[in-house]
Amino acid sequence: MTAYDSAFSATAASPVFFDDEHQMLRDQVRRFVETEVKPHALQWEDDGMVPRATLRKMGELGFFGIRYPEEYGGSDLDHRATVVWAEELGRSTFSGVAITALVHTDMASIHIWNAGTEEQRKKWIPSCISGESISAVAVSEPGAGSDVKGITTKARREGDEWVLNGSKLYITNGVHADLYCVAAKTDPDARPSQSVSMFVVEKDTPGFSVGRQLDKHGWRSSDTAELNFDEARVPAANMLGAQGRGFYEIMKNFQNERLVIGAMAMGEAQAALELTLDWAKGRNAFGAKLWDKQAIRQRMAMLASRVEACRQMIYATARRAALGEDVVREVSMIKALAGELVNEVMYDCVQFHGGMGFMRESTIERMSRDARVQSIGGGATEVMLEEVAKRM
């Protein structure tokens, strides 16, 4: 049992954050990672995608239905279960695999659930839960990322259809998804916050195409794409929620997304510390183990302390969110803190691995590349700090 496992056992014993159901979920995800992900994911890094068979297996095991009601095939759990799911995927050391699954469960299909009609939910949610359909969310564009109001993709109404024109960029699951939750401006003359609507665009929609698969610095086992909409015709019945409410739906789910990314980042950080601890205790330098060097021990101890503090904030915030509290301030703090902290951890862990930390054959090298985007995607650190500042 690692120090992390011991620490978690103490936390899990308290009913404040988790119960037995959450611990069972953690154990199940961890077993899946060990048996179904780690033995194969280096090949997926080369392939640029997670195989559909693996994603369907995740669906079969119930991982894609954690937050959905039992009548749809889900487990009807809350934010705490989502945090467990994200943290354990982060600990896998393959963050491209993690983000493929997490975008589907907590950043894309969730829009169908939150804003969709009962008919839309029945049409798409069961296949999302089973893994037969994989989803993506398409908001970012060449000229608009965190600034959702700045998107330029447009949709005009023609009879029983909406016609979309524009492009999206940096879309995770963008190459191989079946369903895309797309933000477009339906009323350019309205106030910016009331000009955006959301649509479900299916893979075979006429006028919709994957422009290109993007070649990334990290997250290489996830497929990321540029999407094009050239007179793409979407049934009017595919609009999610009311016209002009897309911005609010996107903002609403950002809180869940950022909590998830924070949990994933702390899973990555913990795994990196464990790897580096093993390395430092086995590596000889100047006649002694690296772990015998006080500077290295103390730096790792401080990083471990900060990771634990951030993790506990994530757990507490997930609990509060599950109780229905407003946690925008705390989630913004988590996204900024976790995104920066995971990169500090990776920097030092690469440093303590020495030359091996710079080699592509080492796990820590891959993890350091994967972590870099955590302070960018889902709300850049600077944007998150402004959100915190507004509430100070």
Side-chain angles (χ1 to χ4, degrees):
M1 178 178 283
T2 66
Y4 167 77
D5 292 317
S6 300
F8 175 74
S9 296
T11 303
S14 169
V16 175
F17 295 144
F18 300 108
D19 55 32
D20 290 343
E21 201 167 22
H22 298 113
Q23 182 59 46
M24 289 172 61
L25 174 63
R26 187 181 292 275
D27 292 342
Q28 187 182 24
V29 177
R30 193 172 293 191
R31 282 195 302 272
F32 182 85
V33 166
E34 291 297 327
T35 60
E36 302 292 339
V37 174
K38 287 186 176 180
H40 311 292
L42 283 176
Q43 181 61 51
W44 304 344
E45 291 278 297
D46 292 338
D47 297 340
M49 64 175 291
V50 180
R52 269 307 175 87
T54 302
L55 296 176
R56 282 194 293 269
K57 190 169 292 186
M58 289 183 182
E60 291 168 4
L61 290 171
F63 298 147
F64 290 167
I66 289 171
R67 294 281 292 279
Y68 296 123
E70 293 179 8
E71 64 186 280
Y72 288 85
S75 303
D76 205 15
L77 298 175
D78 59 28
H79 297 75
R80 294 172 296 166
T82 296
V83 161
V84 168
W85 162 237
E87 186 181 1
E88 288 304 316
L89 287 177
R91 287 186 76 250
S92 73
T93 79
F94 289 96
S95 295
V97 178
I99 200 62
T100 296
L102 292 171
V103 163
H104 174 60
T105 55
D106 287 275
M107 303 172 206
S109 67
I110 194 69
H111 281 292
I112 300 174
W113 180 258
N114 286 342
T117 63
E118 194 62 29
E119 183 179 354
Q120 289 171 331
R121 290 175 174 181
K122 288 179 178 177
K123 180 178 180 180
W124 290 307
I125 290 297
S127 65
C128 288
I129 291 174
S130 70
E132 290 302 314
S133 296
I134 298 300
S135 58
V137 58
V139 177
S140 297
E141 298 181 358
S146 297
D147 179 16
V148 176
K149 296 176 184 177
I151 66 171
T152 59
T153 297
K154 293 180 174 60
R156 70 176 189 275
R157 183 72 181 260
E158 288 190 1
D160 292 332
E161 295 179 319
W162 285 91
V163 184
L164 276 62
N165 283 283
S167 62
K168 298 292 181 179
L169 195 60
Y170 314 131
I171 307 305
T172 300
N173 296 348
V175 179
H176 300 290
D178 305 287
L179 303 172
Y180 299 79
C181 296
V182 180
K185 285 199 170 179
T186 48
D187 186 357
D189 298 324
R191 292 172 55 188
S193 62
Q194 297 175 359
S195 65
V196 177
S197 302
M198 292 285 288
F199 301 88
V200 175
V201 177
E202 297 178 285
K203 185 77 170 184
D204 58 357
T205 297
F208 166 65
S209 63
V210 175
R212 60 192 173 107
Q213 181 164 354
L214 303 175
D215 189 11
K216 305 188 299 296
H217 175 64
W219 283 2
R220 296 190 65 82
S221 49
S222 79
D223 57 291
T224 306
E226 177 183 7
L227 308 178
N228 295 324
F229 302 88
D230 182 9
E231 295 289 292
R233 294 187 169 273
V234 178
N238 284 26
M239 178 180 280
L240 288 174
Q243 182 176 338
R245 296 294 299 177
F247 174 79
Y248 300 101
E249 291 298 333
I250 293 165
M251 293 297 107
K252 175 182 176 181
N253 195 58
F254 267 157
Q255 306 319 310
N256 183 69
E257 176 177 339
R258 288 162 181 167
L259 185 65
V260 166
I261 292 175
M264 174 185 168
M266 289 304 91
E268 294 173 37
Q270 186 62 49
L273 288 171
E274 291 173 4
L275 281 171
T276 306
L277 179 60
D278 287 344
W279 174 266
K281 288 187 172 182
R283 177 70 172 174
N284 285 309
F286 300 101
K289 302 295 184 186
L290 285 179
W291 187 245
D292 293 335
K293 313 298 181 184
Q294 186 180 54
I296 291 177
R297 287 200 310 272
Q298 292 189 358
R299 179 59 181 161
M300 288 190 65
M302 179 56 76
L303 289 172
S305 301
R306 293 171 64 199
V307 167
E308 184 63 27
C310 188
R311 179 188 296 113
Q312 293 301 320
M313 183 181 183
I314 291 167
Y315 290 170
T317 303
R319 175 63 173 167
R320 291 178 58 195
L323 293 172
E325 295 185 32
D326 182 350
V327 291
V328 174
R329 171 178 171 271
E330 289 76 8
V331 168
S332 300
M333 288 177 170
I334 285 167
K335 178 60 177 65
L337 177 61
E340 295 297 320
L341 179 53
V342 70
N343 276 285
E344 285 188 54
V345 169
M346 295 302 171
Y347 185 94
D348 282 351
C349 287
V350 168
Q351 183 75 12
F352 296 156
H353 273 76
M356 181 54 72
F358 201 61
M359 298 296 108
R360 281 291 177 106
E361 67 188 84
S362 71
T363 301
I364 200 65
E365 184 275 337
R366 182 185 69 250
M367 293 181 72
S368 70
R369 285 186 287 107
D370 285 346
R372 184 61 187 89
V373 75
Q374 297 286 32
S375 62
I376 301 171
T381 298
E382 295 77 10
V383 176
M384 294 297 92
L385 293 177
E386 286 300 305
E387 291 298 318
V388 175
K390 290 175 189 175
R391 294 163 175 83
M392 288 177 65

